[in-house]
Short mmCIF file of all heavy atoms in Angstrom, two decimals:
data_model
loop_
_atom_site.label_atom_id
_atom_site.label_comp_id
_atom_site.label_asym_id
_atom_site.label_seq_id
_atom_site.Cartn_x
_atom_site.Cartn_y
_atom_site.Cartn_z
N SER A 12 -15.00 -7.39 9.10
CA SER A 12 -14.90 -5.93 9.08
C SER A 12 -16.22 -5.31 8.67
O SER A 12 -16.57 -4.20 9.13
CB SER A 12 -13.77 -5.48 8.16
OG SER A 12 -13.96 -5.94 6.84
N SER A 13 -16.99 -5.98 7.80
CA SER A 13 -18.30 -5.46 7.41
C SER A 13 -19.25 -5.43 8.59
O SER A 13 -20.02 -4.48 8.78
CB SER A 13 -18.88 -6.31 6.28
OG SER A 13 -18.07 -6.26 5.12
N ALA A 14 -19.20 -6.49 9.43
CA ALA A 14 -20.06 -6.54 10.61
C ALA A 14 -19.69 -5.43 11.59
O ALA A 14 -20.55 -4.83 12.24
CB ALA A 14 -19.95 -7.90 11.28
N VAL A 15 -18.37 -5.15 11.73
CA VAL A 15 -17.94 -4.07 12.60
C VAL A 15 -18.50 -2.74 12.13
O VAL A 15 -19.05 -1.95 12.91
CB VAL A 15 -16.39 -4.00 12.64
CG1 VAL A 15 -15.92 -2.68 13.26
CG2 VAL A 15 -15.83 -5.17 13.43
N ALA A 16 -18.39 -2.47 10.83
CA ALA A 16 -18.90 -1.21 10.28
C ALA A 16 -20.40 -1.09 10.50
O ALA A 16 -20.90 -0.03 10.90
CB ALA A 16 -18.58 -1.13 8.79
N ALA A 17 -21.14 -2.18 10.26
CA ALA A 17 -22.59 -2.17 10.43
C ALA A 17 -22.98 -1.96 11.88
O ALA A 17 -23.90 -1.19 12.20
CB ALA A 17 -23.19 -3.46 9.90
N LEU A 18 -22.28 -2.62 12.80
CA LEU A 18 -22.57 -2.50 14.22
C LEU A 18 -22.36 -1.07 14.70
O LEU A 18 -23.23 -0.49 15.39
CB LEU A 18 -21.68 -3.46 15.01
CG LEU A 18 -21.80 -3.41 16.53
CD1 LEU A 18 -23.19 -3.85 16.97
CD2 LEU A 18 -20.73 -4.29 17.17
N LEU A 19 -21.25 -0.47 14.33
CA LEU A 19 -20.95 0.89 14.77
C LEU A 19 -21.89 1.91 14.14
O LEU A 19 -22.32 2.86 14.79
CB LEU A 19 -19.49 1.24 14.47
CG LEU A 19 -18.45 0.38 15.20
CD1 LEU A 19 -17.04 0.77 14.77
CD2 LEU A 19 -18.60 0.52 16.71
N ALA A 20 -22.24 1.70 12.88
CA ALA A 20 -23.20 2.60 12.23
C ALA A 20 -24.56 2.52 12.91
O ALA A 20 -25.24 3.54 13.10
CB ALA A 20 -23.31 2.25 10.75
N SER A 21 -24.96 1.31 13.31
CA SER A 21 -26.26 1.13 13.97
C SER A 21 -26.30 1.80 15.34
O SER A 21 -27.37 2.19 15.82
CB SER A 21 -26.58 -0.36 14.11
OG SER A 21 -25.80 -0.96 15.13
N GLU A 22 -25.13 1.94 15.97
CA GLU A 22 -25.04 2.59 17.27
C GLU A 22 -24.96 4.11 17.16
O GLU A 22 -24.89 4.81 18.17
CB GLU A 22 -23.85 2.05 18.05
CG GLU A 22 -23.99 0.58 18.45
CD GLU A 22 -22.77 0.05 19.18
OE1 GLU A 22 -21.80 0.82 19.37
OE2 GLU A 22 -22.79 -1.13 19.59
N GLY A 23 -24.94 4.59 15.92
CA GLY A 23 -24.96 6.04 15.70
C GLY A 23 -23.62 6.71 15.56
O GLY A 23 -23.54 7.94 15.53
N TYR A 24 -22.55 5.94 15.43
CA TYR A 24 -21.22 6.54 15.26
C TYR A 24 -21.07 7.16 13.87
O TYR A 24 -21.75 6.76 12.91
CB TYR A 24 -20.13 5.49 15.47
CG TYR A 24 -19.94 5.09 16.92
CD1 TYR A 24 -20.52 3.93 17.41
CD2 TYR A 24 -19.21 5.88 17.79
CE1 TYR A 24 -20.37 3.56 18.75
CE2 TYR A 24 -19.03 5.53 19.11
CZ TYR A 24 -19.64 4.37 19.59
OH TYR A 24 -19.48 4.03 20.91
N ASP A 25 -20.18 8.13 13.77
CA ASP A 25 -19.83 8.75 12.49
C ASP A 25 -18.80 7.85 11.82
O ASP A 25 -17.60 8.00 12.02
CB ASP A 25 -19.27 10.15 12.76
CG ASP A 25 -18.80 10.86 11.49
OD1 ASP A 25 -19.13 10.37 10.39
OD2 ASP A 25 -18.13 11.90 11.62
N VAL A 26 -19.28 6.90 11.04
CA VAL A 26 -18.43 5.86 10.45
C VAL A 26 -17.90 6.28 9.09
O VAL A 26 -18.64 6.81 8.25
CB VAL A 26 -19.20 4.52 10.32
CG1 VAL A 26 -18.38 3.49 9.55
CG2 VAL A 26 -19.58 4.00 11.70
N VAL A 27 -16.61 6.04 8.88
CA VAL A 27 -15.99 6.21 7.57
C VAL A 27 -15.28 4.89 7.24
O VAL A 27 -14.43 4.43 8.02
CB VAL A 27 -14.95 7.36 7.58
CG1 VAL A 27 -14.27 7.47 6.21
CG2 VAL A 27 -15.61 8.68 7.96
N GLY A 28 -15.64 4.27 6.14
CA GLY A 28 -15.00 3.02 5.73
C GLY A 28 -13.84 3.27 4.80
O GLY A 28 -13.92 4.11 3.90
N ILE A 29 -12.74 2.56 5.04
CA ILE A 29 -11.58 2.67 4.16
C ILE A 29 -11.11 1.25 3.78
O ILE A 29 -10.95 0.39 4.66
CB ILE A 29 -10.41 3.43 4.81
CG1 ILE A 29 -10.78 4.91 4.97
CG2 ILE A 29 -9.14 3.29 3.98
CD1 ILE A 29 -9.67 5.75 5.52
N THR A 30 -10.92 1.05 2.50
CA THR A 30 -10.36 -0.21 2.01
C THR A 30 -9.04 0.09 1.33
O THR A 30 -8.94 1.03 0.53
CB THR A 30 -11.31 -0.89 1.00
OG1 THR A 30 -12.56 -1.16 1.65
CG2 THR A 30 -10.71 -2.20 0.49
N LEU A 31 -8.02 -0.67 1.67
CA LEU A 31 -6.71 -0.50 1.06
C LEU A 31 -6.56 -1.45 -0.12
O LEU A 31 -6.73 -2.65 0.02
CB LEU A 31 -5.61 -0.79 2.08
CG LEU A 31 -5.63 0.05 3.37
CD1 LEU A 31 -4.45 -0.33 4.25
CD2 LEU A 31 -5.62 1.53 3.05
N GLN A 32 -6.28 -0.88 -1.27
CA GLN A 32 -5.94 -1.71 -2.43
C GLN A 32 -4.46 -2.02 -2.33
O GLN A 32 -3.62 -1.15 -2.49
CB GLN A 32 -6.24 -0.97 -3.73
CG GLN A 32 -5.95 -1.79 -4.97
CD GLN A 32 -6.25 -1.02 -6.25
OE1 GLN A 32 -7.32 -0.45 -6.38
NE2 GLN A 32 -5.29 -0.99 -7.15
N LEU A 33 -4.15 -3.29 -2.03
CA LEU A 33 -2.78 -3.64 -1.68
C LEU A 33 -1.97 -4.30 -2.78
O LEU A 33 -0.75 -4.34 -2.72
CB LEU A 33 -2.79 -4.55 -0.44
CG LEU A 33 -3.38 -3.94 0.83
CD1 LEU A 33 -3.31 -4.93 1.97
CD2 LEU A 33 -2.65 -2.66 1.20
N TYR A 34 -2.65 -4.86 -3.77
CA TYR A 34 -1.90 -5.45 -4.87
C TYR A 34 -2.71 -5.35 -6.13
O TYR A 34 -3.88 -4.93 -6.10
CB TYR A 34 -1.50 -6.91 -4.58
CG TYR A 34 -2.66 -7.82 -4.26
CD1 TYR A 34 -3.14 -8.71 -5.21
CD2 TYR A 34 -3.26 -7.79 -3.01
CE1 TYR A 34 -4.20 -9.54 -4.91
CE2 TYR A 34 -4.32 -8.62 -2.71
CZ TYR A 34 -4.79 -9.49 -3.67
OH TYR A 34 -5.84 -10.30 -3.38
N ASP A 35 -2.12 -5.69 -7.26
CA ASP A 35 -2.65 -5.37 -8.58
C ASP A 35 -4.15 -5.63 -8.72
O ASP A 35 -4.59 -6.76 -8.66
CB ASP A 35 -1.90 -6.15 -9.65
CG ASP A 35 -2.33 -5.71 -11.04
OD1 ASP A 35 -1.96 -4.60 -11.45
OD2 ASP A 35 -3.05 -6.48 -11.68
N HIS A 36 -4.88 -4.56 -8.88
CA HIS A 36 -6.34 -4.66 -8.95
C HIS A 36 -6.79 -5.44 -10.17
O HIS A 36 -7.69 -6.26 -10.12
CB HIS A 36 -6.95 -3.26 -8.96
CG HIS A 36 -8.44 -3.24 -8.98
ND1 HIS A 36 -9.21 -3.68 -7.93
CD2 HIS A 36 -9.31 -2.83 -9.95
CE1 HIS A 36 -10.49 -3.54 -8.23
NE2 HIS A 36 -10.58 -3.03 -9.44
N GLY A 37 -6.15 -5.20 -11.31
CA GLY A 37 -6.56 -5.89 -12.53
C GLY A 37 -6.30 -7.38 -12.46
O GLY A 37 -7.16 -8.20 -12.77
N ALA A 38 -5.11 -7.75 -12.02
CA ALA A 38 -4.74 -9.16 -11.98
C ALA A 38 -5.57 -9.93 -10.97
O ALA A 38 -5.83 -11.12 -11.12
CB ALA A 38 -3.26 -9.31 -11.64
N ALA A 39 -6.01 -9.25 -9.92
CA ALA A 39 -6.73 -9.94 -8.85
C ALA A 39 -8.23 -9.67 -8.87
O ALA A 39 -8.93 -9.99 -7.93
CB ALA A 39 -6.17 -9.48 -7.50
N LEU A 40 -8.73 -9.10 -9.96
CA LEU A 40 -10.10 -8.62 -9.99
C LEU A 40 -11.12 -9.67 -9.61
O LEU A 40 -12.06 -9.40 -8.87
CB LEU A 40 -10.42 -8.09 -11.40
CG LEU A 40 -11.73 -7.32 -11.53
CD1 LEU A 40 -11.72 -6.10 -10.63
CD2 LEU A 40 -11.97 -6.90 -12.96
N GLU A 41 -10.94 -10.88 -10.08
CA GLU A 41 -11.93 -11.93 -9.79
C GLU A 41 -11.46 -12.91 -8.73
O GLU A 41 -12.08 -13.94 -8.52
CB GLU A 41 -12.28 -12.69 -11.09
CG GLU A 41 -12.87 -11.81 -12.17
CD GLU A 41 -14.11 -11.06 -11.70
OE1 GLU A 41 -14.88 -11.61 -10.88
OE2 GLU A 41 -14.32 -9.91 -12.13
N LYS A 42 -10.35 -12.62 -8.10
CA LYS A 42 -9.84 -13.54 -7.06
C LYS A 42 -10.72 -13.46 -5.83
O LYS A 42 -10.95 -12.40 -5.28
CB LYS A 42 -8.39 -13.20 -6.71
CG LYS A 42 -7.83 -14.08 -5.59
CD LYS A 42 -6.36 -13.84 -5.45
CE LYS A 42 -5.77 -14.40 -4.18
NZ LYS A 42 -6.30 -15.60 -3.64
N LYS A 43 -11.21 -14.58 -5.38
CA LYS A 43 -12.05 -14.62 -4.20
C LYS A 43 -11.29 -15.22 -3.02
O LYS A 43 -10.30 -15.92 -3.20
CB LYS A 43 -13.32 -15.45 -4.45
CG LYS A 43 -14.21 -14.86 -5.54
CD LYS A 43 -15.46 -15.70 -5.73
CE LYS A 43 -16.37 -15.10 -6.80
NZ LYS A 43 -17.59 -15.92 -7.00
N GLY A 44 -11.78 -14.95 -1.82
CA GLY A 44 -11.19 -15.54 -0.63
C GLY A 44 -9.89 -14.89 -0.20
O GLY A 44 -9.12 -15.44 0.55
N ALA A 45 -9.63 -13.69 -0.71
CA ALA A 45 -8.45 -12.97 -0.27
C ALA A 45 -8.92 -11.72 0.46
O ALA A 45 -9.95 -11.70 1.08
CB ALA A 45 -7.58 -12.61 -1.48
N CYS A 46 -8.16 -10.64 0.36
CA CYS A 46 -8.65 -9.37 0.90
C CYS A 46 -7.96 -8.25 0.16
O CYS A 46 -6.89 -8.42 -0.40
CB CYS A 46 -8.40 -9.26 2.40
SG CYS A 46 -6.68 -9.06 2.87
N CYS A 47 -8.61 -7.10 0.17
CA CYS A 47 -8.00 -5.86 -0.30
C CYS A 47 -7.70 -5.84 -1.79
O CYS A 47 -6.74 -5.24 -2.25
CB CYS A 47 -6.71 -5.57 0.49
SG CYS A 47 -7.00 -5.61 2.27
N ALA A 48 -8.50 -6.52 -2.59
CA ALA A 48 -8.38 -6.45 -4.05
C ALA A 48 -9.64 -7.03 -4.67
O ALA A 48 -10.40 -7.76 -4.04
CB ALA A 48 -7.15 -7.22 -4.54
N GLY A 49 -9.86 -6.68 -5.94
CA GLY A 49 -10.89 -7.30 -6.73
C GLY A 49 -12.28 -7.29 -6.16
O GLY A 49 -12.81 -6.25 -5.76
N THR A 50 -12.92 -8.46 -6.13
CA THR A 50 -14.29 -8.57 -5.66
C THR A 50 -14.45 -8.10 -4.22
O THR A 50 -15.53 -7.65 -3.83
CB THR A 50 -14.79 -10.03 -5.77
OG1 THR A 50 -13.92 -10.87 -5.02
CG2 THR A 50 -14.78 -10.48 -7.22
N ASP A 51 -13.39 -8.18 -3.43
CA ASP A 51 -13.49 -7.78 -2.03
C ASP A 51 -13.65 -6.27 -1.88
O ASP A 51 -14.36 -5.80 -0.98
CB ASP A 51 -12.26 -8.28 -1.28
CG ASP A 51 -12.14 -9.79 -1.35
OD1 ASP A 51 -12.95 -10.47 -0.72
OD2 ASP A 51 -11.27 -10.27 -2.08
N ILE A 52 -13.01 -5.51 -2.76
CA ILE A 52 -13.21 -4.06 -2.76
C ILE A 52 -14.65 -3.73 -3.11
O ILE A 52 -15.28 -2.87 -2.49
CB ILE A 52 -12.21 -3.39 -3.72
CG1 ILE A 52 -10.79 -3.49 -3.17
CG2 ILE A 52 -12.60 -1.92 -3.95
CD1 ILE A 52 -9.72 -2.92 -4.09
N ARG A 53 -15.17 -4.43 -4.09
CA ARG A 53 -16.57 -4.19 -4.49
C ARG A 53 -17.51 -4.55 -3.35
O ARG A 53 -18.51 -3.86 -3.11
CB ARG A 53 -16.90 -5.00 -5.75
CG ARG A 53 -16.15 -4.55 -6.98
CD ARG A 53 -16.89 -4.94 -8.24
NE ARG A 53 -17.04 -6.38 -8.37
CZ ARG A 53 -16.26 -7.14 -9.12
NH1 ARG A 53 -15.25 -6.59 -9.79
NH2 ARG A 53 -16.46 -8.44 -9.21
N ASP A 54 -17.22 -5.65 -2.64
CA ASP A 54 -18.07 -6.05 -1.51
C ASP A 54 -18.07 -5.00 -0.42
O ASP A 54 -19.12 -4.67 0.17
CB ASP A 54 -17.61 -7.39 -0.94
CG ASP A 54 -17.96 -8.56 -1.84
OD1 ASP A 54 -18.85 -8.41 -2.70
OD2 ASP A 54 -17.35 -9.64 -1.68
N ALA A 55 -16.90 -4.44 -0.11
CA ALA A 55 -16.81 -3.39 0.92
C ALA A 55 -17.61 -2.17 0.50
O ALA A 55 -18.31 -1.56 1.32
CB ALA A 55 -15.34 -3.03 1.16
N ARG A 56 -17.50 -1.82 -0.78
CA ARG A 56 -18.23 -0.65 -1.27
C ARG A 56 -19.74 -0.86 -1.16
O ARG A 56 -20.49 0.05 -0.78
CB ARG A 56 -17.83 -0.36 -2.72
CG ARG A 56 -18.49 0.88 -3.30
CD ARG A 56 -18.02 1.14 -4.72
NE ARG A 56 -16.62 1.57 -4.74
CZ ARG A 56 -15.66 0.92 -5.39
NH1 ARG A 56 -15.93 -0.20 -6.03
NH2 ARG A 56 -14.44 1.39 -5.38
N ARG A 57 -20.21 -2.07 -1.49
CA ARG A 57 -21.65 -2.36 -1.41
C ARG A 57 -22.15 -2.24 0.04
O ARG A 57 -23.25 -1.73 0.28
CB ARG A 57 -21.92 -3.78 -1.93
CG ARG A 57 -21.81 -3.93 -3.43
CD ARG A 57 -22.44 -5.25 -3.87
NE ARG A 57 -22.07 -5.58 -5.22
CZ ARG A 57 -21.12 -6.44 -5.57
NH1 ARG A 57 -20.42 -7.06 -4.61
NH2 ARG A 57 -20.85 -6.70 -6.83
N VAL A 58 -21.36 -2.73 0.99
CA VAL A 58 -21.77 -2.66 2.39
C VAL A 58 -21.91 -1.20 2.81
O VAL A 58 -22.89 -0.80 3.46
CB VAL A 58 -20.75 -3.39 3.29
CG1 VAL A 58 -21.01 -3.07 4.77
CG2 VAL A 58 -20.82 -4.90 3.07
#
């Protein structure tokens, strides 16, 4: 999904990124290899 956002932004589209927090953010904060919680939200924000 990060590559999709970067590709469309490079083509000049008006891109808006949205990440869904789907389960307990605190409990999953450091869980890696999943999606939509913890470090993955931070990664999406950095992109």
Side-chain angles (χ1 to χ4, degrees):
S12 58
S13 297
V15 166
L18 177 64
L19 296 178
S21 74
E22 293 178 359
Y24 286 99
D25 177 11
V26 173
V27 178
I29 292 184
T30 300
L31 303 182
Q32 181 180 310
L33 298 181
Y34 57 103
D35 187 72
H36 182 67
L40 191 60
E41 299 304 326
K42 177 171 166 34
K43 297 181 179 180
C46 70
C47 308
T50 58
D51 301 289
I52 290 177
R53 294 204 298 261
D54 286 341
R56 182 178 291 120
R57 287 194 194 100
V58 168

